[in-house]
Amino acid sequence: MLNYTRYERNPVMDYPGRKWPNKEVEKAPIWCSVDLRDGNQALIDPMVVEEKIEMFQYLIKLGFRDIEIGFPAASQIEYDFLRQLVDRKMIPDDVRVQVLTQCREELIDRTFQAIEGCKQVIVHIYNSTSSLQRDVVFGMDREEIINIAVQGTKWVKERAAHFPGKIILEYSPESFTGTELDFALDICTAVQETWGATKEEPIIINLPSTVEMTTPNVYADQIEWMNENFKNRESIILSVHPHNDRGTGVASTELALLAGAERVEGTLFGNGERTGNVDVLNVAYNMFSQGIDPKLHIERINESIEIYERCCKIPVHPRHPYAGKLVFTAFSGSHQDAINKGVKAMKERESKIWKVPYLPIDPADIGREYEPIVRINSQSGKGGVAFIMDTYFGFKLPKGMHKEFANAIQHISEKQGEVSPDQIMEKFREEYLEQKEPIHFRKLKVDDLSEETTSRFDTKVTVTYTDYGVEKVFEAVGNGPIDAVKRGLQEVLGEEMKILDYEEHALQSGSSSQAAAYIHLLDVDWGKVTYGVGVSSNITRASVRAIFSAINRLGIGRKNREN
């Protein structure tokens, strides 16, 4: 039995005055990447120095200006990494490297040795404040926990006074989500006052959801309550560091921004301890999809994926928001049809605003290929197959033809699963363009009879074709070439036919363009209908080929031979 009684609900604060539900995200926060610290420590195979350098340089390229590079006092590789960044002059003047350290004097000393030569550094100190950790880990009361944070602040302040560069202090009450709010406020205020934060020289107060413990709205309430109750609020940059234990890291981040957070710490694609940190790219792309400048250069998502997967040795899930291989695809027939119509509507209306069903953004805007939007399997419908034929190959199938051809593709997908565009085109050739037996069109001569007033028809055609390989010729008259060819075929095949519909279009622009013609043909005697397709640089020849294609698909030539 699933023993749910072992767990109890986390308390929800009584906060009827909350304001965040009526707000909207209007601008990007200050982004801080923790890929090289929080993300790296969670890797099965942590990055080596050169991999960390590659990731650092890429984070700068993306636009991050706050980058937590590690815990240099606790790891020789992280110490060496920071020294390489400094010695090789790889830290741009506008980038603030961030280093993490516990509130222990020997670690703070080692940290200041590591940052020597940096122009501006965020020194990030922390200690755990939750009621559970105070009880079972530290065995300390509130005052003792506050003393740890205050003493750590004093040590940093003393060393910052002699540091030639600029030091910004960041303080995190670790396990904030499990900390009583009044105590969280007390310890943050004690650090703030000890540091002497001002509007001109603010402190970063980082309120981490170290472990997601309840729904995102509760985290938003906690952030807003702190935001409303801080003293000298203008001297604080309010930061959040959400994790994803409940799978709601992105939601927690977005609601925290509504609640007053100004800064977000997270990782690319959500790498991190347990279920990971918040995916900062996901949050940034969400903003982008709402017409907000994310202040990150995220238009080349494939590049981000490639570097992340190589350095972290973790694949991006195929359903990962924005980045997954399958997120801009549609297998459902109704989805495919809606996407097809949405794209066509945008083109016809010359719309500058992206509005396509099932696609919140244009994949091309973030460097994704447009082609894989629709993929065909046994669940796909006629609209998806038509979309592939149009998008990939330029064939704009008549609406009545969609189901006929989709049925042929479904037979393939039921046997093998997904069907590639090339396979779809090959089947199209087989079903329509290569239908040359038993009768195969060869040559066409068209004469204008409009000057001959005695004739009720205006066109005469001479058609050369083969019947089971034997060359034959017929002449016929009609109202236009298509009508004349149809009449001539009726006579030589002894079968009554009726053209129900006819469409044509250019396949490509330019002097060498070809035309595609579609004939919807009825075998009157047998009551069967089908489509035929022809392609040629001459539209009349394309139309004649389409008639022959339809006749062969109906089997009229074979019936005539059998009879």
Side-chain angles (χ1 to χ4, degrees):
M1 177 180 176
L2 190 65
N3 192 3
Y4 60 87
T5 59
R6 296 186 63 206
Y7 305 94
E8 56 184 20
R9 295 185 184 183
N10 287 287
V12 177
M13 62 183 294
D14 181 22
Y15 187 45
R18 62 182 62 84
K19 302 172 185 175
W20 61 262
N22 295 321
K23 296 182 179 179
E24 295 181 8
V25 174
E26 296 180 346
K27 63 178 182 178
I30 299 168
W31 301 106
C32 176
S33 162
V34 294
D35 291 87
L36 295 168
R37 198 276 300 174
D38 210 349
N40 185 60
Q41 76 181 37
L43 296 177
I44 296 173
D45 184 12
M47 292 179 239
V48 298
V49 170
E50 287 306 317
E51 288 171 334
K52 295 188 80 168
I53 288 174
E54 180 183 10
M55 179 64 78
F56 178 75
Q57 291 176 320
Y58 186 64
L59 292 169
I60 293 172
K61 181 179 178 180
L62 285 176
F64 288 96
R65 290 300 174 262
D66 286 7
I67 302 175
E68 188 165 87
I69 58 173
F71 200 148
S75 167
Q76 188 63 44
I77 192 171
E78 294 186 7
Y79 186 97
D80 293 341
F81 165 56
L82 177 51
R83 293 314 311 161
Q84 284 216 34
L85 294 182
V86 176
D87 295 341
R88 293 164 62 176
K89 295 180 171 51
M90 300 178 72
I91 305 173
D93 291 344
D94 62 342
V95 170
R96 306 190 297 187
V97 293
Q98 181 169 307
V99 288
L100 184 72
T101 181
Q102 293 172 323
C103 297
R104 291 164 50 187
E105 188 170 20
E106 70 276 13
L107 295 181
I108 291 172
D109 280 336
R110 179 70 167 165
T111 299
F112 270 83
Q113 291 173 14
I115 64 175
E116 184 179 343
C118 293
K119 294 184 178 180
Q120 54 177 342
V121 184
I122 299 171
V123 176
H124 183 186
I125 62 173
Y126 72 98
N127 64 317
S128 192
T129 59
S130 71
S131 57
L132 179 62
Q133 293 217 36
R134 295 199 313 265
D135 177 26
V136 303
V137 179
F138 301 106
M140 293 183 177
D141 60 21
R142 289 187 176 192
E143 185 176 351
E144 290 173 306
I145 295 294
I146 290 176
N147 287 339
I148 292 173
V150 169
Q151 183 59 64
T153 304
K154 289 178 179 178
W155 284 326
V156 174
K157 187 174 182 178
E158 290 168 3
R159 287 148 184 79
H162 305 288
F163 186 76
K166 181 178 181 180
I167 297 294
I168 302 98
L169 182 68
E170 175 176 344
Y171 173 68
S172 292
E174 192 200 5
S175 303
F176 164 75
T177 46
T179 303
E180 306 91 335
L181 281 178
D182 63 324
F183 179 51
L185 182 63
D186 286 345
I187 195 168
C188 289
T189 300
V191 170
Q192 175 191 12
E193 292 177 344
T194 301
W195 182 253
T198 65
K199 180 179 180 180
E200 293 72 27
E201 299 291 337
I203 185 175
I204 299 171
I205 296 294
N206 185 55
L207 302 178
S209 176
T210 308
V211 178
E212 275 200 312
M213 301 175 69
T214 187
T215 51
N217 61 297
V218 176
Y219 186 52
D221 282 350
Q222 293 170 325
I223 298 298
E224 184 173 285
W225 188 90
M226 294 288 287
N227 184 50
E228 294 287 329
N229 287 278
F230 277 130
K231 296 179 182 178
N232 300 319
R233 176 63 181 84
E234 69 279 0
S235 69
I236 292 173
I237 296 172
L238 181 52
S239 177
V240 291
H241 181 112
H243 278 251
N244 197 44
D245 299 272
R246 293 168 56 92
T248 58
V250 169
S252 293
T253 303
E254 292 179 331
L255 297 191
L257 291 173
L258 299 180
E262 304 157 285
R263 184 175 183 268
V264 172
E265 295 188 347
T267 61
L268 305 184
F269 306 115
N271 180 38
E273 296 280 12
R274 304 178 309 281
T275 56
N277 292 60
V278 66
D279 178 357
V280 290
L281 293 181
N282 194 342
V283 180
Y285 283 123
N286 285 354
M287 292 181 179
F288 171 74
S289 74
Q290 300 300 302
I292 299 170
D293 183 355
K295 302 297 183 181
L296 290 174
H297 304 300
I298 54 175
E299 60 272 19
R300 294 178 294 274
I301 196 167
N302 289 333
E303 184 178 59
S304 300
I305 294 168
E306 190 273 328
I307 290 174
Y308 166 81
E309 291 186 336
R310 185 174 66 255
C311 291
C312 297
K313 298 92 174 175
I314 297 176
V316 172
H317 193 279
R319 296 293 184 187
H320 194 101
Y322 301 101
K325 292 180 179 179
L326 298 178
V327 299
F328 293 118
T329 66
F331 288 104
S332 163
S334 61
H335 289 205
Q336 293 170 351
D337 182 59
I339 290 170
N340 190 5
K341 290 175 179 174
V343 171
K344 285 184 176 179
M346 281 197 62
K347 290 179 180 177
E348 292 169 357
R349 299 170 186 176
E350 299 181 349
S351 174
K352 295 182 179 180
I353 302 298
W354 178 262
K355 287 187 177 181
V356 174
Y358 302 110
L359 293 178
I361 66 169
D362 183 348
D365 282 341
I366 62 172
R368 292 293 298 270
E369 291 292 331
Y370 193 70
E371 294 177 343
I373 284 179
V374 172
R375 295 169 69 166
I376 305 301
N377 66 9
S378 61
Q379 302 301 306
S380 304
K382 56 185 184 297
V385 175
F387 185 87
I388 292 291
M389 290 303 300
D390 186 359
T391 305
Y392 279 69
F393 307 111
F395 285 91
K396 303 180 186 302
L397 307 187
K399 189 170 183 179
M401 187 179 172
H402 290 188
K403 187 175 187 304
E404 178 180 286
F405 183 48
N407 286 343
I409 299 302
Q410 187 164 22
H411 290 317
I412 300 174
S413 64
E414 287 172 350
K415 293 179 180 178
Q416 70 174 47
E418 186 177 349
V419 185
S420 71
D422 286 342
Q423 285 179 296
I424 292 172
M425 185 62 210
E426 183 59 34
K427 188 63 175 176
F428 185 75
R429 290 192 188 95
E430 176 188 326
E431 289 286 326
Y432 299 98
L433 302 182
E434 301 299 330
Q435 285 288 343
K436 299 178 180 179
E437 295 295 338
I439 59 171
H440 178 27
F441 167 66
R442 294 294 188 180
K443 297 179 183 178
L444 172 71
K445 179 184 177 184
V446 180
D447 294 313
D448 183 7
L449 302 179
S450 58
E451 299 295 327
E452 301 179 21
T453 57
T454 58
S455 174
R456 61 188 182 95
F457 299 113
D458 60 12
T459 304
K460 175 185 175 182
V461 295
T462 303
V463 177
T464 302
Y465 69 103
T466 57
D467 184 352
Y468 283 99
V470 178
E471 185 172 296
K472 298 181 179 181
V473 179
F474 69 78
E475 293 182 347
V477 294
N479 291 316
I482 297 175
D483 181 52
V485 171
K486 188 263 297 184
R487 289 174 180 275
L489 284 168
Q490 283 186 144
E491 184 174 342
V492 298
L493 296 175
E495 196 82 36
E496 185 178 356
M497 295 171 275
K498 183 177 181 181
I499 295 176
L500 302 177
D501 191 21
Y502 166 75
E503 294 186 30
E504 64 182 51
H505 64 81
L507 280 175
Q508 59 189 48
S509 60
S511 58
S512 61
S513 65
Q514 290 190 310
Y518 309 87
I519 294 288
H520 195 197
L521 192 67
L522 167 66
D523 180 341
V524 176
D525 294 340
W526 290 72
K528 292 175 62 178
V529 295
T530 195
Y531 276 88
V533 184
V535 173
S536 174
S537 58
N538 179 285
I539 188 58
T540 302
R541 290 179 60 84
S543 303
V544 175
R545 286 177 176 169
I547 295 174
F548 275 75
S549 169
I551 287 174
N552 287 323
R553 284 177 55 76
L554 286 172
I556 293 175
R558 291 184 180 88
K559 288 187 294 179
N560 182 60
R561 174 59 61 90
E562 291 166 2
N563 292 335

